[in-house]
Amino acid sequence: MIKAGDPGFAFDDFDENAIATTFHTTGTTGDPKQVFFSHRQLVLHTLAAATTIANQPVGQNVTRRDVYMPMTPMFHVHAWGMPFIATMLGMKQVYPGRYDPATLLALKRNEGVTYSYCVPTILRMVVDAAKANAWDVGPWTMMIGGSALPEALAQEAEEVGIIALSGYGMSETGPVVTLARSQPEDTVGVRCRAGFPLPLVEVAIDQARGGELTLRAPWLTQGYSQQHASDALWDGGRLHTGDIAEIDADGAVRIVDRLKDVIKTGGEWVSSIELEALLTAEPGVAEAAVVGIPDARWGERPIAFVVRAAGPTVSEEALREAVVARALTGAISRYAVPDAIHFCDALPRTSVGKVDKKALKETAHPSALFAGA
């Protein structure tokens, strides 16, 4: 197609504020909404993201000599902005098609891939495949987004040669607004935080809204196709992310939970992300998701869904004991102990690989699955 094109084609000039892209949010916790971005916004995001990624510590950065391979659908949020960066820098680009772990590992080996990004589910698949074949797949840096990066998974990835670091963003932010980084003396958990703001990004915590993370940056979507939703998104002149967050002493953002996912039980807030990380760290657990279901007495109660890892079978009793032990030390609230732990073959996913918590809440009907739990 490129060879058939006219290299002398004269492109019409147009206003940089003209709309360049439009797509819908994934609707993980709510209804999908249409967002849009201008050409100017895409350029600004590309420059800010490229500047940040290029200046990451060695082993977490990108140069024009790196080989880039995406592992998320290209239709979702500009493929996280990386195709623009890779093209601007003149990097070699490898496009895998379907995200089969054997195919991904073969392309990594044969094409010399050094930089990728994906959701934790895909990282889990790649790590498991590498471990099953006893392969050291490094050097390979992966930016992880879409949902929280469990510290246990980041540690497993490092053991097979993958340096995984969190990035944070959403459909409304184009997407990247923060990126984690670590130094040799840091623990792996440092790379599991949402990270530090990109240039031109301003972050703040709105305590009046339960600790919600709010943003300002020149490339954030101006709104949705529905005016009332746009007004709520930009209430007070800042974009409201819907995520509860904290800012650590070094300036890094740490996501506590989604406002719609946090479980309000017995007068306390329970973080589903914290519970999921605790469960995932237990031997025999590959993935975990926690949702809140209505409860007449407590308002909501946490229910856990767990996918077992290969090897010795982990029991509900063992997982419950692990959570209770953390509660007894005060590490988590006693209200956070799940009412039930449901084992399943796989967690439901959206089109971009995120855990579909709406589907889990519909499944987690106490009378249907957990009677007598």
Side-chain angles (χ1 to χ4, degrees):
M1 290 174 65
I2 294 175
K3 289 180 179 178
D6 178 7
F9 181 83
F11 288 91
D12 291 334
D13 200 4
F14 54 86
D15 192 312
E16 65 180 355
N17 294 305
I19 293 177
T21 61
T22 181
F23 53 89
H24 283 77
T25 63
T26 55
T28 308
T29 56
D31 292 332
K33 299 181 182 67
Q34 187 181 38
V35 296
F36 57 91
F37 296 87
S38 69
H39 291 269
R40 174 184 174 84
Q41 288 176 312
L42 295 187
V43 170
L44 289 172
H45 179 271
T46 300
L47 294 174
T51 300
T52 301
I53 296 173
N55 284 285
Q56 291 280 96
V58 174
Q60 303 168 42
N61 63 334
V62 158
T63 73
R64 67 178 65 246
R65 294 183 297 276
D66 279 287
V67 179
Y68 153 69
M69 181 174 71
M71 297 194 303
T72 67
M74 300 295 290
F75 64 79
H76 183 55
V77 204
H78 312 127
W80 298 13
M82 274 302 300
F84 299 124
I85 296 172
T87 301
M88 182 178 72
L89 296 180
M91 296 168 59
K92 176 181 175 179
Q93 303 176 43
V94 179
Y95 291 87
R98 298 184 66 85
Y99 304 120
D100 169 69
T103 300
L104 295 173
L105 288 173
L107 286 170
K108 191 278 183 269
R109 182 174 59 250
N110 297 335
E111 301 294 340
V113 173
T114 57
Y115 195 89
S116 296
Y117 52 83
C118 61
V119 296
T121 306
I122 301 297
L123 176 60
R124 172 84 270 166
M125 292 166 50
V126 171
V127 169
D128 287 346
K131 290 172 67 175
N133 292 279
W135 290 344
D136 184 333
V137 298
W140 199 357
T141 303
M142 288 196 195
M143 178 167 54
I144 307 299
S147 56
L149 170 62
E151 187 172 336
L153 178 56
Q155 184 62 56
E156 284 188 68
E158 190 169 313
E159 291 167 2
V160 299
I162 298 172
I163 299 299
L165 58 147
S166 290
Y168 172 78
M170 45 200 298
S171 297
E172 293 85 345
T173 63
V176 185
V177 287
T178 68
L179 186 62
R181 63 174 181 263
S182 68
Q183 301 300 331
E185 64 272 15
D186 293 328
T187 63
V188 69
V190 170
R191 286 189 271 110
C192 297
R193 300 182 296 179
F196 299 89
L198 270 59
L200 308 182
V201 174
E202 179 184 287
V203 300
I205 305 298
D206 188 343
Q207 297 296 351
R209 295 171 62 115
E212 182 183 17
L213 177 66
T214 65
L215 305 168
R216 290 184 65 190
W219 59 79
L220 310 183
T221 189
Q222 298 172 46
Y224 302 118
S225 54
Q226 309 97 326
Q227 187 59 48
H228 70 282
S230 300
D231 293 342
L233 179 70
W234 281 101
D235 184 31
R238 302 184 65 85
L239 186 143
H240 291 264
T241 64
D243 286 315
I244 301 172
E246 296 176 352
I247 299 178
D248 288 343
D250 59 357
V253 175
R254 183 159 41 85
I255 302 298
V256 176
D257 211 343
R258 289 286 296 169
L259 274 172
K260 293 181 180 179
D261 289 343
V262 69
I263 301 164
K264 305 175 184 67
T265 181
E268 296 195 25
W269 284 24
V270 171
S271 168
S272 64
I273 290 178
E274 186 177 29
L275 272 178
E276 289 160 0
L278 190 157
L279 290 167
T280 305
E282 289 300 309
V285 175
E287 293 184 287
V290 176
V291 297
I293 62 170
D295 183 271
R297 182 179 182 185
W298 302 109
E300 283 187 313
R301 289 298 301 144
I303 298 293
F305 291 81
V306 171
V307 177
R308 288 187 172 100
T313 299
V314 64
S315 67
E316 177 178 354
E317 182 181 2
L319 292 181
R320 182 176 297 280
E321 288 178 355
V323 178
V324 169
R326 295 296 299 274
L328 291 175
T329 64
I332 61 172
S333 165
R334 61 189 177 90
Y335 291 103
V337 179
D339 275 8
I341 298 173
H342 176 56
F343 292 98
C344 51
D345 293 333
L347 298 174
R349 304 282 174 185
T350 66
S351 60
V352 296
K354 296 181 183 179
V355 174
D356 190 342
K357 290 199 170 183
K358 285 194 300 184
L360 286 178
K361 286 186 177 183
E362 293 171 1
T363 300
H365 193 285
S367 61
L369 284 178
F370 307 110

